[in-house]
Each structure stands twice: as C-alpha cells, then as structure tokens.
Amino acid sequence: METIPDPERRLALAYAPDDGRRAALSALLALDAALADVMRTTTQPAIGQIRLAWWREQLAKLDQAPPPAMPVLAALAEQVLPRGVTGVALAKVVEGWEVLIEEETLDRDALSRFGVERGGQLFALAAAILGGDAGRAATLGQGWALADLMQHLDDRNVAETAGALARTALATRLGGVARPLGLLALSARLDLAQVAPGGPKRAARLAWFGLAGR
C-alpha cells in the first residue's frame, strides 16, 4: 500500500526492510496523513471533533473486530496489529490532533502535548516495529510533528513557539534510531533550517544520511 504523496516520506519508506515492516510503516504514515486531512478539510471545530472521535473509536475497535471497508484501517489491521501494536495505542495518535481543536489557545503546553501525542506516539509505534532506540525515536517524532505544524500556522507567535520546541526535540542524536525515522527527523531539521525542498543541498544531505546513518 503506497498512499504517501510526500517524496521524502517515500524515501524514508525505501529504507525500511521489505519484509512487511515497510508496509507497516506505510500504514502508520497513511494514518497520520488521513488525520492531517481531517484537519485540513474541516472548517467547523465541532465537526472536526466528531470526525476525529470517529477515527479514535474505529482504531480502538481494531483490537476486537475486523476493520470497516476503508483502506487505511484495513492496512493497519493487516500490517501493524500483527506486529504487536494495539488499536488502542494507535488511537492515542488521534489525541494529538484533538489538541488543535480542543484548545482555544495553542500555548507552549498545548503544543508540547500535540508533539508528544501525534509525533512522539507515532514514532514510538514505528520504532516498536522497525527496532532502534524507541525513546530517542519518540523525542525526534515530537520535533517532526511540531516542525510540520509550524508550516501550517498563521499565528506568527504560535509558529515561533512550535519551531523552538521542534528544534529542541530534533537536537536529539539521530544515531541508534531506525533509518527511516532518522530520515524523517532529518527532513524536519532541514525544514526548520529552510533548506529548500528538491534542492541539491537537501537531496545530498538526505542521501548521505540514507547511506551512512549520520
């Protein structure tokens, strides 16, 4: 299953072992993309809460029942749950996105919770499948989520706070983390440094990490 449009996410997937773990990581990233799409296409907070609650409930139900006929949920049931990740654990990723709707003000604490519950949880689940240092992966995942959020914030002060939190988390050493997760974290670092996507400097840096892991 390949539903990840971002070329750098596709590159990260290419470094995951092609023994089922690549498909599992693809399913996790597709879940994140689906939740991001909920936020992008919802204009009324109340409707957004309902849509996210649906995802949270459906993910938790994967532990007891077959998935509904939806590709993202089917892929998670087929590729991720057999590797020891529960539907309840997947549902916790939704809680990060709910912060953006439930909190009237995205202060430092709210942004930190978003980073932990969206990116930290997602990277920790991926690390459980791919191997590597799960704690370090979770910290990098927080930075990855916040760096992504920063690019979609209109409020300059909130964006600056998100960026500062992202930089702190992404300062974590990449060594010891599964290569695909390190690559995603490096991509977020390059975003924060405003290294242009698609440019030769960025491509060379990502390629070197892919080869050397540093």
Side-chain angles (χ1 to χ4, degrees):
M1 171 186 155
E2 177 54 82
T3 60
I4 309 301
D6 183 334
E8 291 182 6
R9 290 196 183 193
R10 290 201 301 268
L11 178 62
L13 283 171
Y15 284 99
D18 192 16
D19 58 1
R21 285 180 287 177
R22 182 181 300 170
L25 177 59
S26 179
L28 288 173
L29 292 176
L31 170 62
D32 183 75
L35 296 174
D37 189 61
V38 169
M39 300 302 300
R40 184 169 51 251
T41 59
T42 299
T43 57
Q44 298 181 37
I47 300 299
Q49 286 179 315
I50 291 170
R51 294 176 69 189
L52 289 175
W54 182 89
W55 274 99
R56 183 160 31 81
E57 291 167 6
Q58 293 302 317
L59 290 165
K61 285 180 182 178
L62 292 178
D63 291 331
Q64 289 89 30
M70 174 175 272
V72 172
L73 292 170
L76 291 167
E78 181 180 350
Q79 304 293 344
V80 175
L81 265 64
R83 296 183 177 275
V85 173
T86 66
V88 169
L90 290 168
K92 288 186 176 296
V93 176
V94 181
E95 295 176 11
W97 292 100
E98 288 176 327
V99 170
L100 303 183
I101 292 178
E102 294 173 353
E103 296 295 334
E104 293 184 7
T105 302
L106 290 178
D107 58 15
R108 190 179 186 88
D109 287 343
L111 290 168
S112 294
R113 284 198 292 115
F114 169 80
V116 168
E117 293 169 358
R118 176 200 173 187
Q121 177 73 355
L122 191 76
F123 271 45
L125 296 176
I129 293 169
L130 298 171
D133 188 320
R136 193 175 300 166
T139 300
L140 291 169
Q142 295 169 35
W144 169 82
L146 287 162
D148 176 61
L149 177 65
M150 178 187 174
Q151 299 177 66
H152 300 92
L153 292 170
D154 295 325
D155 188 310
R156 182 176 177 181
N157 291 330
V158 177
E160 287 177 353
T161 302
L165 290 169
R167 288 183 180 89
T168 298
L170 289 168
T172 302
R173 190 166 61 88
L174 300 180
V177 174
R179 192 73 51 93
L181 302 182
L183 223 159
L184 290 171
L186 176 58
S187 177
R189 283 184 183 178
L190 294 172
D191 285 340
L192 291 174
Q194 298 184 330
V195 179
K201 180 178 180 181
R202 186 172 180 124
R205 181 66 186 94
L206 290 169
W208 174 248
F209 180 81
L211 291 171
R214 63 179 188 274

